[in-house]
Each structure stands twice: as C-alpha cells, then as structure tokens.
Amino acid sequence: MLLDFEKPISELESKLTDMKELAKTSDVNVSDAVAQLEKKILKLKKETFSNLTRWQRVQLSRHPERPYTLDYIYEITNDFIELHGDRTVRDDKAMVGGFGTIGKETVMFIGQQKGRSTKQRQMRNFGMANPEGYRKALRLMKMAEKFNKPIVTLIDTPGAFPGLEAEERGQGEAIARNLKEMTMLKVPVICIIIGEGASGGALGIAIGDRVFMMENTWYSVISPESCSSILWRSWDYKEQAAEALKLTAEDMLKNKLIDGIINEPLGGAHTDLNKASSELKKVILKELKELSAKTPEERINERIEKFSSMGAYGN
C-alpha cells in the first residue's frame, strides 16, 4: 500500500527497477544512470520524510505493513513466553504480554496488538482492549514486580474499546486503576509508543519512569478524525485537527510530555524491521541500566513528580 506522499518515490523506484532489468537483458551500460537515479531517490526520500505534516505522520503510524507489538518482541527476544488471561473474565487478544530476555535482562513485555488480515483484526479487536485487557496488563505488571523484573510497554491503539459491554464491565475503572498502580510499581517501567497512542486507551499502559515515542507515531487525547467530527461535524477537517492537536513525537518532546524520540529507518519502521528493532532495543537497554541503578523509592518519587508536573492548572 502506498500513501499519497510516497507515490513520487515509488515512481522513481519503478524506473530504477526497469533500468536494472534493461542492464541484465542487454549490452547497454546504464551504471551511471542507475547511480544518478539512486541518488535522486535518496534525496527525494530525505526531503519527503523530513518535511511530513502532522497528518502524514498519523498516516504513517497506521501503515498496514508497520511492525506491531509482537513483531518487535519476537525481533528483540528469542525466548518470549506469552501469558494469557485476567483471571476474572477472559483473555483479551487486543492486549498481549509475557516474559522475554533482552540482553541479559528478563523483561515483562506488555502491549496492544493489532491484526493484519481481516480475521486477525477481528480477533484482536483492532488493538482496542476491553477492561479485561487492562486488568490482564495489571496482573502481568504485578507478576513482574513480584519477581523483581522490569516492565516495557509498547503502545499502539486507536483507543480503548468503547462498546456498551466494555463500559458495563468497568472500562473507566480498569484504566484508572492501572494509572494508580503503575505510578507505585517498584520495578523500572519503560513505555514506548510504537504506532497510535490514542486517549486513555494508550495511557492505561503508559505511566512509566521513561516514556518514548518512535519517530513516526502520534500521542493525543483524541484522534484527528474524532476531533474533526466534534468541532466541524465532519471528518473532512482531520488534517487541520491534526495540526491543532500537535500530536507528533516532536510536539510531545517540545512540550516535555515524553523523554525522547526513537529514530526509524528512512521511510518508516515498516521499511526495515531489523533496523527499527535495533534502535528500540538499544534505547531499552540503555534506560534499564540507568533505572536499575536507582532505588525503588527514588523511581516512584521521580515518577510521581514527572506526571504531576505535566500541564497547567489553577484554582
């Protein structure tokens, strides 16, 4: 699938492929032309992806080939053991988690999981967790705390599931409890937005010592489409809404709502899973080393201070 702003690049890449095929099937020397075209493509890619609008970043975060939570986990660990169920209602397939080793450290990984095919998307509920998903996440966090293992959460959701049955089972309470409990966890907690970070659905697993965003992701109280429908009674103004929301990684860092941005390969994480995972792993290991040197009390106090100092309020 090609996004609108990727089409000029794709057209040049098609020409490059044709030129290379011509070189194979004829005696014509096109090496100079190939080299020039490769330089032109690289230049166009750099210009395009360094000047993306906020809405284009949103589009890139939703790219159907973009890596999801399990893609990253299986890439950076080789012994991941998935754990299931909230021990109350059922196993929410939109929320995944389990132990895996990264470097020499055993880590509890937790995150929302989207599906690629129609069947998978239905099974995963498009990455929108029910209350039992958040309770499952909390159960796994408490298990990690019991065994003194750090926690890494990977956030990628269009929001918590807004269905009637979710509200009946306590969606708001489940998310609120996670916010409170995550604040007081005694082990290091690293939270990373790897795709979409929408509203309380994202925040329900995003209270940590360190919060990072990958380069082409977004994090906001509401999606551009929903914002547009509320303000303009139409989804047609989603691009203006995205600009007004200031929801990109750069915006979040500027407003001191996150601690850093994780670089992606040129063109987005979906173009090179190995490279994107390598950057992710590097940041996780670096932060775990720093956080492990602190006492639980220091981490909890700093965590509380971190989130208490966000925003502005008054009487």
Side-chain angles (χ1 to χ4, degrees):
M1 174 186 167
L2 282 176
L3 301 172
D4 290 340
F5 58 87
E6 292 179 307
K7 288 178 181 177
I9 298 169
S10 178
E11 289 171 4
L12 288 180
E13 287 177 335
S14 294
K15 288 181 182 178
L16 180 63
T17 301
D18 293 340
M19 204 176 287
K20 288 180 177 178
E21 286 298 319
L22 176 65
K24 289 179 182 178
T25 57
S26 69
D27 296 329
V28 180
N29 186 356
V30 294
S31 58
D32 290 341
V34 166
Q36 287 181 351
L37 190 53
E38 286 176 337
K39 285 182 181 179
K40 187 175 181 180
I41 291 170
L42 182 60
K43 183 181 178 183
L44 181 59
K45 274 187 175 181
K46 287 180 177 178
E47 289 175 354
T48 300
F49 288 97
S50 62
N51 294 290
L52 292 177
T53 65
R54 290 181 173 90
W55 173 245
Q56 287 171 337
R57 295 277 186 197
V58 172
Q59 288 180 296
L60 208 51
S61 76
R62 297 170 175 168
H63 198 289
E65 295 173 15
R66 189 173 177 84
Y68 295 145
T69 294
L70 288 176
D71 296 319
Y72 284 119
I73 291 174
Y74 285 124
E75 190 70 22
I76 63 179
T77 71
N78 54 18
D79 60 352
F80 177 65
I81 300 174
E82 187 173 352
L83 302 172
H84 301 272
D86 71 335
R87 299 296 185 268
T88 305
V89 179
R90 66 183 174 95
D91 182 40
D92 189 340
K93 301 294 184 183
M95 189 76 75
V96 297
F99 284 115
T101 303
I102 176 170
K104 296 180 180 179
E105 186 81 66
T106 299
V107 173
M108 174 63 80
F109 289 96
I110 299 169
Q112 290 102 352
Q113 175 69 18
K114 295 177 178 176
R116 299 205 182 274
S117 66
T118 301
K119 189 174 182 180
Q120 286 180 351
R121 286 172 186 147
Q122 289 176 330
M123 180 187 76
R124 300 288 184 185
N125 202 30
F126 300 86
M128 296 185 293
N130 277 275
E132 48 270 27
Y134 292 99
R135 290 173 181 137
K136 169 185 175 179
L138 182 57
R139 181 178 77 83
L140 299 185
M141 290 176 200
K142 288 295 186 180
M143 182 186 292
E145 184 179 49
K146 178 180 179 180
F147 294 109
N148 196 31
K149 301 300 179 185
I151 299 164
V152 173
T153 67
L154 303 177
I155 297 105
D156 185 13
T157 181
F161 185 59
L164 177 62
E165 62 272 27
E167 298 299 340
E168 288 175 339
R169 291 197 299 275
Q171 185 74 287
E173 186 275 339
I175 293 173
R177 183 172 293 276
N178 277 25
L179 304 186
K180 173 181 176 293
E181 295 291 345
M182 289 187 78
T183 305
M184 305 303 293
L185 288 170
K186 296 177 181 178
V187 295
V189 184
I190 299 171
C191 308
I192 304 169
I193 290 89
I194 60 170
E196 298 185 88
S199 193
L203 198 60
I205 58 168
I207 304 296
D209 302 295
R210 299 285 186 273
V211 180
F212 290 90
M213 290 177 69
M214 296 195 73
E215 189 178 351
N216 296 304
T217 63
W218 65 274
Y219 194 21
S220 176
V221 70
I222 194 171
S223 71
E225 293 94 334
S226 297
C227 179
S228 174
S229 67
I230 291 171
L231 295 182
W232 290 281
R233 306 289 181 184
S234 168
W235 280 25
D236 295 339
Y237 299 91
K238 53 188 177 291
E239 294 182 40
Q240 292 95 313
E243 290 297 318
L245 286 167
K246 293 181 170 53
L247 39 59
T248 66
E250 289 182 1
D251 293 322
M252 293 296 106
L253 186 62
K254 184 178 179 181
N255 289 323
K256 299 180 181 179
L257 297 174
I258 62 170
D259 299 292
I261 300 171
I262 300 174
N263 293 327
E264 294 185 22
L266 184 61
H270 61 284
T271 62
D272 192 337
L273 173 59
N274 184 266
K275 189 173 181 180
S277 299
S278 178
E279 290 293 320
L280 192 73
K281 183 176 181 179
K282 191 190 306 179
V283 169
I284 292 171
L285 289 173
K286 176 179 177 292
E287 296 302 325
L288 283 180
K289 185 177 180 181
E290 291 182 8
L291 291 170
S292 297
K294 299 182 179 183
T295 66
E297 290 74 20
E298 286 175 330
R299 287 194 296 266
I300 290 170
N301 289 335
E302 288 177 9
R303 206 180 298 154
I304 292 171
E305 176 61 28
K306 174 190 182 68
F307 286 92
S308 298
S309 64
M310 290 181 183
Y313 58 91
N315 295 326

Short mmCIF file of all heavy atoms in Angstrom, two decimals, residues 56-81:
data_model
loop_
_atom_site.label_atom_id
_atom_site.label_comp_id
_atom_site.label_asym_id
_atom_site.label_seq_id
_atom_site.Cartn_x
_atom_site.Cartn_y
_atom_site.Cartn_z
N GLN A 56 0.30 13.45 7.88
CA GLN A 56 1.09 12.43 7.20
C GLN A 56 1.79 11.51 8.20
O GLN A 56 1.93 10.32 7.95
CB GLN A 56 2.10 13.10 6.25
CG GLN A 56 1.45 13.70 5.01
CD GLN A 56 2.39 14.56 4.19
OE1 GLN A 56 3.39 15.08 4.70
NE2 GLN A 56 2.08 14.72 2.92
N ARG A 57 2.20 12.06 9.34
CA ARG A 57 2.77 11.22 10.40
C ARG A 57 1.72 10.24 10.92
O ARG A 57 2.01 9.08 11.18
CB ARG A 57 3.27 12.09 11.56
CG ARG A 57 4.41 13.02 11.24
CD ARG A 57 5.75 12.35 11.31
NE ARG A 57 6.81 13.33 11.13
CZ ARG A 57 8.06 13.04 10.82
NH1 ARG A 57 8.41 11.77 10.65
NH2 ARG A 57 8.97 13.97 10.67
N VAL A 58 0.50 10.74 11.08
CA VAL A 58 -0.60 9.88 11.52
C VAL A 58 -0.81 8.76 10.52
O VAL A 58 -0.97 7.58 10.90
CB VAL A 58 -1.90 10.69 11.71
CG1 VAL A 58 -3.09 9.76 11.97
CG2 VAL A 58 -1.76 11.68 12.86
N GLN A 59 -0.82 9.09 9.24
CA GLN A 59 -0.99 8.08 8.19
C GLN A 59 0.11 7.03 8.25
O GLN A 59 -0.14 5.83 8.10
CB GLN A 59 -0.99 8.75 6.81
CG GLN A 59 -2.25 9.55 6.50
CD GLN A 59 -2.17 10.19 5.13
OE1 GLN A 59 -1.32 11.05 4.86
NE2 GLN A 59 -3.05 9.77 4.24
N LEU A 60 1.34 7.49 8.47
CA LEU A 60 2.48 6.58 8.52
C LEU A 60 2.40 5.66 9.74
O LEU A 60 2.76 4.48 9.68
CB LEU A 60 3.78 7.39 8.55
CG LEU A 60 5.05 6.75 7.97
CD1 LEU A 60 4.80 6.21 6.57
CD2 LEU A 60 6.18 7.76 7.95
N SER A 61 1.89 6.18 10.84
CA SER A 61 1.75 5.37 12.06
C SER A 61 0.73 4.25 11.87
O SER A 61 0.75 3.26 12.60
CB SER A 61 1.31 6.25 13.24
OG SER A 61 -0.07 6.58 13.16
N ARG A 62 -0.16 4.41 10.89
CA ARG A 62 -1.21 3.42 10.62
C ARG A 62 -0.89 2.56 9.41
O ARG A 62 -1.75 1.79 8.96
CB ARG A 62 -2.54 4.13 10.39
CG ARG A 62 -3.06 4.92 11.58
CD ARG A 62 -4.24 5.77 11.17
NE ARG A 62 -4.85 6.45 12.32
CZ ARG A 62 -5.74 7.42 12.21
NH1 ARG A 62 -6.12 7.83 11.01
NH2 ARG A 62 -6.26 7.98 13.29
N HIS A 63 0.28 2.69 8.86
CA HIS A 63 0.64 1.92 7.66
C HIS A 63 0.39 0.44 7.91
O HIS A 63 0.82 -0.11 8.93
CB HIS A 63 2.10 2.15 7.30
CG HIS A 63 2.45 1.78 5.90
ND1 HIS A 63 2.50 0.46 5.48
CD2 HIS A 63 2.74 2.53 4.80
CE1 HIS A 63 2.83 0.42 4.20
NE2 HIS A 63 2.97 1.66 3.77
N PRO A 64 -0.34 -0.24 7.00
CA PRO A 64 -0.68 -1.65 7.23
C PRO A 64 0.51 -2.59 7.36
O PRO A 64 0.38 -3.69 7.89
CB PRO A 64 -1.54 -2.01 6.00
CG PRO A 64 -1.23 -0.96 4.98
CD PRO A 64 -0.91 0.28 5.74
N GLU A 65 1.68 -2.16 6.89
CA GLU A 65 2.87 -3.01 7.00
C GLU A 65 3.74 -2.62 8.19
O GLU A 65 4.79 -3.22 8.41
CB GLU A 65 3.68 -2.93 5.70
CG GLU A 65 2.94 -3.50 4.49
CD GLU A 65 3.69 -3.26 3.20
OE1 GLU A 65 4.89 -2.91 3.25
OE2 GLU A 65 3.08 -3.40 2.12
N ARG A 66 3.30 -1.63 8.95
CA ARG A 66 4.10 -1.18 10.09
C ARG A 66 4.19 -2.28 11.14
O ARG A 66 3.22 -2.98 11.41
CB ARG A 66 3.45 0.07 10.69
CG ARG A 66 4.32 0.75 11.74
CD ARG A 66 3.73 2.07 12.20
NE ARG A 66 4.56 2.64 13.24
CZ ARG A 66 5.65 3.37 13.03
NH1 ARG A 66 6.02 3.63 11.80
NH2 ARG A 66 6.35 3.87 14.03
N PRO A 67 5.35 -2.47 11.76
CA PRO A 67 5.50 -3.51 12.80
C PRO A 67 4.58 -3.26 13.98
O PRO A 67 4.38 -2.12 14.41
CB PRO A 67 6.97 -3.38 13.21
CG PRO A 67 7.64 -2.66 12.09
CD PRO A 67 6.62 -1.75 11.51
N TYR A 68 4.01 -4.34 14.50
CA TYR A 68 3.17 -4.28 15.68
C TYR A 68 3.95 -4.79 16.89
O TYR A 68 5.10 -5.21 16.78
CB TYR A 68 1.90 -5.10 15.46
CG TYR A 68 0.99 -4.56 14.36
CD1 TYR A 68 0.26 -5.42 13.55
CD2 TYR A 68 0.87 -3.19 14.14
CE1 TYR A 68 -0.57 -4.93 12.54
CE2 TYR A 68 0.05 -2.69 13.14
CZ TYR A 68 -0.68 -3.57 12.34
OH TYR A 68 -1.49 -3.08 11.35
N THR A 69 3.29 -4.80 18.03
CA THR A 69 3.95 -5.17 19.30
C THR A 69 4.68 -6.51 19.22
O THR A 69 5.87 -6.61 19.56
CB THR A 69 2.91 -5.21 20.44
OG1 THR A 69 2.43 -3.88 20.66
CG2 THR A 69 3.54 -5.74 21.72
N LEU A 70 3.99 -7.56 18.77
CA LEU A 70 4.62 -8.90 18.73
C LEU A 70 5.76 -8.96 17.72
O LEU A 70 6.71 -9.72 17.92
CB LEU A 70 3.57 -9.97 18.42
CG LEU A 70 2.58 -10.26 19.56
CD1 LEU A 70 1.53 -11.27 19.11
CD2 LEU A 70 3.30 -10.77 20.81
N ASP A 71 5.68 -8.17 16.65
CA ASP A 71 6.78 -8.13 15.67
C ASP A 71 8.07 -7.67 16.36
O ASP A 71 9.13 -8.26 16.18
CB ASP A 71 6.45 -7.18 14.51
CG ASP A 71 5.26 -7.65 13.70
OD1 ASP A 71 5.15 -8.86 13.46
OD2 ASP A 71 4.44 -6.81 13.30
N TYR A 72 7.96 -6.60 17.14
CA TYR A 72 9.13 -6.09 17.84
C TYR A 72 9.62 -7.06 18.91
O TYR A 72 10.82 -7.30 19.05
CB TYR A 72 8.81 -4.73 18.49
CG TYR A 72 8.76 -3.58 17.53
CD1 TYR A 72 7.58 -2.85 17.36
CD2 TYR A 72 9.87 -3.21 16.79
CE1 TYR A 72 7.53 -1.77 16.47
CE2 TYR A 72 9.83 -2.14 15.90
CZ TYR A 72 8.64 -1.43 15.75
OH TYR A 72 8.60 -0.37 14.87
N ILE A 73 8.67 -7.61 19.66
CA ILE A 73 9.05 -8.52 20.75
C ILE A 73 9.81 -9.72 20.22
O ILE A 73 10.87 -10.11 20.75
CB ILE A 73 7.81 -8.97 21.56
CG1 ILE A 73 7.24 -7.78 22.35
CG2 ILE A 73 8.17 -10.11 22.52
CD1 ILE A 73 5.94 -8.08 23.07
N TYR A 74 9.29 -10.34 19.17
CA TYR A 74 9.95 -11.52 18.61
C TYR A 74 11.28 -11.18 17.93
O TYR A 74 12.16 -12.02 17.82
CB TYR A 74 9.03 -12.23 17.62
CG TYR A 74 7.91 -13.00 18.29
CD1 TYR A 74 6.58 -12.76 17.98
CD2 TYR A 74 8.20 -13.96 19.26
CE1 TYR A 74 5.55 -13.46 18.62
CE2 TYR A 74 7.18 -14.67 19.89
CZ TYR A 74 5.86 -14.41 19.57
OH TYR A 74 4.86 -15.11 20.19
N GLU A 75 11.42 -9.92 17.52
CA GLU A 75 12.66 -9.50 16.87
C GLU A 75 13.76 -9.23 17.89
O GLU A 75 14.94 -9.50 17.63
CB GLU A 75 12.41 -8.23 16.03
CG GLU A 75 13.54 -7.84 15.11
CD GLU A 75 13.76 -8.79 13.95
OE1 GLU A 75 12.82 -9.51 13.57
OE2 GLU A 75 14.89 -8.80 13.39
N ILE A 76 13.41 -8.70 19.06
CA ILE A 76 14.44 -8.34 20.04
C ILE A 76 14.64 -9.39 21.13
O ILE A 76 15.54 -9.27 21.95
CB ILE A 76 14.17 -6.96 20.68
CG1 ILE A 76 12.86 -6.96 21.48
CG2 ILE A 76 14.13 -5.88 19.61
CD1 ILE A 76 12.55 -5.63 22.16
N THR A 77 13.77 -10.42 21.15
CA THR A 77 13.95 -11.52 22.09
C THR A 77 13.89 -12.84 21.32
O THR A 77 13.34 -12.90 20.23
CB THR A 77 12.86 -11.55 23.18
OG1 THR A 77 11.62 -11.96 22.58
CG2 THR A 77 12.67 -10.20 23.82
N ASN A 78 14.45 -13.89 21.88
CA ASN A 78 14.35 -15.20 21.22
C ASN A 78 13.74 -16.25 22.14
O ASN A 78 13.76 -17.44 21.85
CB ASN A 78 15.73 -15.67 20.72
CG ASN A 78 16.77 -15.67 21.83
OD1 ASN A 78 16.45 -15.64 23.02
ND2 ASN A 78 18.04 -15.69 21.43
N ASP A 79 13.18 -15.78 23.28
CA ASP A 79 12.60 -16.74 24.23
C ASP A 79 11.31 -16.21 24.85
O ASP A 79 10.98 -16.52 25.99
CB ASP A 79 13.61 -17.05 25.33
CG ASP A 79 14.03 -15.81 26.11
OD1 ASP A 79 13.65 -14.69 25.71
OD2 ASP A 79 14.72 -15.95 27.15
N PHE A 80 10.57 -15.40 24.09
CA PHE A 80 9.36 -14.78 24.61
C PHE A 80 8.30 -15.84 24.95
O PHE A 80 8.01 -16.72 24.14
CB PHE A 80 8.79 -13.79 23.60
CG PHE A 80 7.49 -13.14 24.04
CD1 PHE A 80 7.46 -12.30 25.13
CD2 PHE A 80 6.31 -13.39 23.34
CE1 PHE A 80 6.28 -11.70 25.53
CE2 PHE A 80 5.12 -12.80 23.74
CZ PHE A 80 5.10 -11.95 24.83
N ILE A 81 7.75 -15.73 26.14
CA ILE A 81 6.68 -16.63 26.58
C ILE A 81 5.45 -15.78 26.86
O ILE A 81 5.41 -15.00 27.81
CB ILE A 81 7.08 -17.40 27.86
CG1 ILE A 81 8.33 -18.25 27.61
CG2 ILE A 81 5.92 -18.28 28.33
CD1 ILE A 81 8.87 -18.91 28.85
#
